[in-house]
Amino acid sequence: MPATVEYDAPREGRDHPARTPAGEAADEVIRWGAFSCALVPVVLLVCGSPFGAAVGAAVGLAAVTAVCRALLRRCERTAARLAGTVVSPHRGRHGRTGIGAHRGGRRG
């Protein structure tokens, strides 16, 4: 019986953490963008558009896909950085905590 291969096993030497659902969705969008970069020129050629128009459409779609990919990656890095920081709650005007004499209670 052949050994099974685990496709979800972490790769050695990986610099980035495991993908989040949002990161996987971004990868899916990029894959569809790359697919459209290949499909649209073919459809244009089949429909009778000139070769130059098909190439222009492919170059334009590739540029838009590259910019979208860069923006998605930037958003992922920003979200990961913000998720890693812990913001302490605002503690009031003087930063004191608790109740009692320090909070205006009666003395004596």
Side-chain angles (χ1 to χ4, degrees):
M1 183 173 215
T4 59
V5 178
E6 298 247 351
Y7 292 104
D8 293 332
R11 290 184 233 149
E12 294 297 322
R14 184 188 294 184
D15 292 334
H16 55 83
R19 303 292 294 169
T20 62
E24 291 173 3
D27 287 343
E28 188 74 17
V29 169
I30 297 302
R31 280 193 291 273
W32 278 106
F35 176 71
S36 70
C37 288
L39 182 65
V40 168
V42 171
V43 171
L44 288 173
L45 288 174
V46 169
C47 291
S49 293
F51 182 75
V55 170
V59 169
L61 285 171
V64 169
T65 302
V67 169
C68 289
R69 181 178 188 271
L71 290 173
L72 283 168
R73 297 294 179 228
R74 181 178 176 194
C75 289
E76 282 181 333
R77 287 192 304 268
T78 302
R81 188 175 61 236
L82 290 177
T85 61
V86 176
V87 178
S88 62
H90 184 66
R91 292 175 49 158
R93 183 173 178 185
H94 299 289
R96 295 181 181 147
T97 59
I99 59 173
H102 295 286
R103 303 292 293 171
R106 299 183 86 181
R107 295 181 189 169

